[in-house]
Amino acid sequence: MSVPRLRSLVLSSALLFALAAHAEEPAAAPPARSMQEILDASQPADWRPLDPKNTLYLELEAGRVVIELAPAFAPAHVANIRALAKGGYWNGLSINRAQDNFVVQWGDPAEDQAQRKPLGRGAKAKLPAEFARSSERLPFDRLPDADGWAPEVGFSSGFPAGRDPAAKTAWLAHCYGAVGAGRDVAADSSDGTELYVVIGQSPRQLDRNITVVGRVVQGMELLSVLPRGSGPLGFYTDPAQRTPIQAIRLAADVPKKERTPLEALRTDTPLFAELVESRRNRRDDWYKHMAGHIDLCNVPLPVREAEEPPAPAKKKPARRRR
Amino acid sequence: MSVPRLRSLVLSSALLFALAAHAEEPAAAPPARSMQEILDASQPADWRPLDPKNTLYLELEAGRVVIELAPAFAPAHVANIRALAKGGYWNGLSINRAQDNFVVQWGDPAEDQAQRKPLGRGAKAKLPAEFARSSERLPFDRLPDADGWAPEVGFSSGFPAGRDPAAKTAWLAHCYGAVGAGRDVAADSSDGTELYVVIGQSPRQLDRNITVVGRVVQGMELLSVLPRGSGPLGFYTDPAQRTPIQAIRLAADVPKKERTPLEALRTDTPLFAELVESRRNRRDDWYKHMAGHIDLCNVPLPVREAEEPPAPAKKKPARRRR
């Protein structure tokens, strides 16, 4: 960090080899690995491929945004989103809202119900509220860290989540990149056509108040930079400000050679626990005070492109995909 | 909310009159006011004018970003920033870094020390680390809400802050919009020339590790939309991607008619406590689950333009400015 241009906040990637033990550490503590070292040491089994049936591509002129859907938490919404995507519902519609430090949102901009695009075959106009689900028999990789919004927090199916052991419920948390289904005042008034993405400080007050359907795993920087709307709630006042949606497709409906083969780091492994600890207590030379804590929404959830597109299983088993 | 176009997240402003009591509330509870109603009922004494000596204007082609400086927490850095601004240090330099969900940062992009812009008259090349200060005799409007990063959190001089009663220290928190002074590995290696602004989930792990000098109070949407850099740490790889800085000036050095007269809501009033509670427990019809909690960085800190520029005190006392 002797380069003045980088007189800057130092991230893990910048100090891979600056791992001198922190002065307050016990002398016997083993040297801690940085996040990058942990990722570099990961094995294929530490990663899971995204399921094309649960992967949505939002295609913009600027590029592709990849969303992982969460059928374990929002089965009815995910089924509807699959049907809407298959029918090309969003193709030609637009991103209509960008509210700073809150959300971007897309769907049909028409205010007049008569002018709104039909949902198409197989898509339902009415869905149940899927704000929370039973936590029984639900895998949950709990964080030990305290949280003000939920009795317990952690990860389920790779998603940041909250859990209430007394109520035996669990729900997805509104972290940066969370994708939710906009609704009216009635709890069951979302149909999955109006989707929003969190682009700022996590609005956890929305947890258990709206159906979270997934999260953006790649391409957030295509959404977070959209000009903010000047109308109420950040809606654009001039239709020309809207960002056109070229298409929203389920990866499974896209030819394999056009897919983005992604893998997400599993959250149920010792390696992931080590990664979280490396972020909870930064032991590199730059940090002078170890936090001793990490918030759910500050935990990185690494995603990487698979080294090669998955080959057809019958010809050549893709061993990394166990 | 019957307009489909607004099938969306509902903010306080959208449901001003939808204040039916929540089903779980005790029957005797008085009707709660929304944030907008609270602001509408505010009195001049609930607001404080920004001090031109502590107000920095970052002038971009897209408009003005207004920063309130925090001399109570970073006196040496603020003094240096004032000197740098007076000398026109940043004029013609650029925003050189935008890392998604983290920070934007500006300063001198030159990597070669010999090519870097001289600091100018009155600016120091070396400053002390101002990560935390004594909490004794420091006004602190404490939030009752738990926080994982600090023993206590609240507001001091209008800034989100943490406090440790055992260590008798207080520090500014890295919330959305926080402005800090980039540094190298040495704690005292910042000179205030490289400033960054938080544009994503609050990176509270930086608290007590770097000097926070203030916060953006207007114009965040001019910074948060900047294209993200593709180099390490979000630095731009192509100089053409940098955003030129027309000027950074202290408001006190700007002719009065060119100033942006802003007032910030005071954080030491019953009205502010009511506002926080209105966000901690949303009682409008849209919310089905009251959080019973608010994170420090989710508390809104309203700022408004003064109804008229402050008149010179000798001629016409501006009564709102008590």
Side-chain angles (χ1 to χ4, degrees):
Chain A
M1 296 309 293
S2 61
V3 182
R5 180 171 176 274
L6 295 178
R7 184 174 299 162
S8 60
L9 302 173
V10 175
L11 290 187
S12 61
S13 61
L15 277 183
L16 301 188
F17 306 107
L19 290 167
H22 189 280
E24 294 175 17
E25 272 187 305
R33 298 194 289 187
S34 71
M35 183 168 89
Q36 190 59 52
E37 287 178 317
I38 293 165
L39 291 175
D40 290 346
S42 67
Q43 298 298 308
D46 291 314
W47 300 81
R48 60 182 174 88
L50 296 197
D51 184 342
K53 293 193 306 296
N54 296 329
T55 305
L56 205 62
Y57 295 152
L58 162 59
E59 312 281 5
L60 305 174
E61 185 182 357
R64 173 177 286 177
V65 178
V66 182
I67 295 166
E68 183 175 17
L69 298 169
F73 285 84
H77 280 75
V78 168
N80 226 39
I81 287 167
R82 287 194 193 111
L84 290 162
K86 192 173 269 296
Y89 173 78
W90 288 286
N91 306 355
L93 295 181
S94 52
I95 299 174
N96 307 311
R97 175 189 186 192
Q99 183 170 0
D100 197 57
N101 195 20
F102 196 35
V103 297
V104 297
Q105 183 174 322
W106 60 82
D108 189 339
E111 295 193 37
D112 182 349
Q113 185 63 40
Q115 295 182 332
R116 289 175 69 81
K117 190 166 178 174
L119 299 190
R121 286 165 53 95
K124 296 177 179 174
K126 192 163 177 63
L127 300 176
E130 298 178 300
F131 301 169
R133 55 155 286 168
S134 166
S135 62
E136 298 197 71
R137 291 179 300 281
L138 179 73
F140 194 87
D141 313 313
R142 188 180 170 193
L143 281 179
D145 304 85
D147 185 272
W149 306 95
E152 297 176 355
V153 290
F155 300 90
S156 188
S157 310
F159 292 91
R163 187 169 70 170
D164 184 343
K168 295 192 171 66
T169 55
W171 57 90
L172 296 185
H174 278 83
C175 296
Y176 189 84
V179 183
R183 67 164 172 87
D184 286 325
V185 169
D188 61 354
S189 58
S190 57
D191 60 12
T193 62
E194 299 272 333
L195 298 177
Y196 63 87
V197 176
V198 171
I199 60 165
Q201 169 70 14
S202 48
R204 298 277 307 278
Q205 73 279 2
L206 297 175
D207 292 3
R208 290 183 269 185
N209 275 302
I210 196 163
T211 300
V212 178
V213 301
R215 74 179 185 98
V216 173
V217 293
Q218 189 177 80
M220 267 305 295
E221 71 282 3
L222 304 180
L223 299 175
S224 56
V225 302
L226 293 176
R228 306 324 192 211
S230 57
L233 306 177
F235 279 90
Y236 296 114
T237 52
D238 177 359
Q241 296 173 308
R242 298 173 189 151
T243 299
I245 293 174
Q246 296 179 341
I248 294 184
R249 299 177 295 174
L250 199 68
D253 297 334
V254 171
K256 279 188 180 170
K257 66 180 189 303
E258 295 175 27
R259 295 183 194 165
T260 306
L262 293 180
E263 299 178 320
L265 194 69
R266 300 181 66 105
T267 58
D268 58 353
T269 61
L271 184 114
F272 183 75
E274 183 186 354
L275 182 145
V276 174
E277 172 57 20
S278 78
R279 305 291 281 188
R280 181 186 292 115
N281 287 305
R282 314 274 184 126
R283 289 177 164 83
D284 61 62
D285 277 351
W286 192 87
Y287 279 89
K288 313 305 178 188
H289 171 85
M290 287 201 291
H293 171 82
I294 192 164
D295 265 5
L296 175 67
C297 293
N298 288 99
V299 174
L301 293 172
V303 169
R304 68 180 186 185
E305 302 219 2
E307 282 160 26
E308 55 183 32
K314 285 179 185 174
K315 292 179 182 174
K316 181 188 174 188
R319 276 184 296 176
R320 66 163 52 241
R321 304 194 175 282
R322 53 195 163 184
Chain B
M1 296 310 294
S2 60
V3 182
R5 181 171 174 275
L6 294 177
R7 184 174 299 163
S8 61
L9 303 172
V10 174
L11 290 187
S12 60
S13 61
L15 277 182
L16 301 188
F17 306 107
L19 289 166
H22 190 279
E24 294 174 17
E25 273 187 306
R33 298 194 288 186
S34 71
M35 183 168 89
Q36 191 59 53
E37 288 177 318
I38 293 165
L39 290 175
D40 289 346
S42 68
Q43 299 298 309
D46 291 312
W47 299 82
R48 61 182 174 87
L50 296 198
D51 184 341
K53 292 194 306 297
N54 295 329
T55 305
L56 206 61
Y57 295 151
L58 162 59
E59 311 281 6
L60 306 175
E61 184 182 358
R64 173 178 286 178
V65 178
V66 183
I67 295 165
E68 183 174 19
L69 298 169
F73 285 84
H77 279 76
V78 168
N80 226 40
I81 288 167
R82 287 194 192 108
L84 290 163
K86 192 173 271 295
Y89 172 78
W90 288 285
N91 306 356
L93 294 180
S94 51
I95 299 175
N96 307 311
R97 175 189 187 193
Q99 183 170 1
D100 198 55
N101 195 19
F102 196 37
V103 297
V104 297
Q105 184 173 321
W106 60 83
D108 189 338
E111 295 194 37
D112 182 350
Q113 185 62 41
Q115 295 182 333
R116 289 175 69 82
K117 190 166 178 174
L119 298 189
R121 286 164 53 93
K124 295 178 179 174
K126 192 164 178 60
L127 300 175
E130 297 179 301
F131 302 167
R133 56 155 287 167
S134 166
S135 61
E136 298 194 70
R137 291 179 300 282
L138 179 74
F140 193 87
D141 313 313
R142 188 180 170 192
L143 280 180
D145 304 84
D147 186 271
W149 306 95
E152 297 176 355
V153 290
F155 300 90
S156 187
S157 309
F159 292 91
R163 187 169 70 171
D164 183 343
K168 295 191 169 69
T169 55
W171 56 91
L172 296 185
H174 277 82
C175 296
Y176 190 84
V179 183
R183 66 164 171 88
D184 286 325
V185 170
D188 61 353
S189 58
S190 58
D191 61 11
T193 62
E194 300 270 333
L195 298 177
Y196 64 86
V197 177
V198 172
I199 59 165
Q201 170 70 15
S202 50
R204 297 277 306 280
Q205 73 278 1
L206 296 175
D207 291 4
R208 291 183 268 185
N209 276 301
I210 197 162
T211 300
V212 178
V213 302
R215 74 178 185 97
V216 173
V217 293
Q218 189 177 80
M220 266 306 294
E221 71 282 3
L222 305 180
L223 299 175
S224 56
V225 302
L226 292 177
R228 305 325 191 212
S230 56
L233 306 177
F235 279 91
Y236 296 115
T237 52
D238 177 0
Q241 296 172 307
R242 298 172 188 152
T243 300
I245 293 173
Q246 296 179 342
I248 294 185
R249 300 178 294 174
L250 200 68
D253 297 334
V254 171
K256 280 188 182 170
K257 66 180 188 306
E258 297 175 26
R259 294 183 195 167
T260 305
L262 293 180
E263 298 178 322
L265 195 69
R266 299 182 66 106
T267 57
D268 58 352
T269 61
L271 184 114
F272 183 75
E274 182 186 356
L275 182 145
V276 174
E277 172 57 19
S278 78
R279 304 292 280 189
R280 181 186 293 114
N281 288 304
R282 314 276 183 125
R283 290 179 164 81
D284 61 61
D285 278 349
W286 192 89
Y287 280 89
K288 313 305 177 188
H289 172 84
M290 286 200 292
H293 171 82
I294 192 164
D295 265 5
L296 175 68
C297 293
N298 288 99
V299 174
L301 294 172
V303 169
R304 69 179 185 186
E305 300 219 5
E307 283 159 28
E308 55 183 32
K314 285 179 182 173
K315 292 179 180 175
K316 180 188 175 188
R319 276 184 295 175
R320 65 163 54 235
R321 308 196 173 280
R322 52 196 160 182

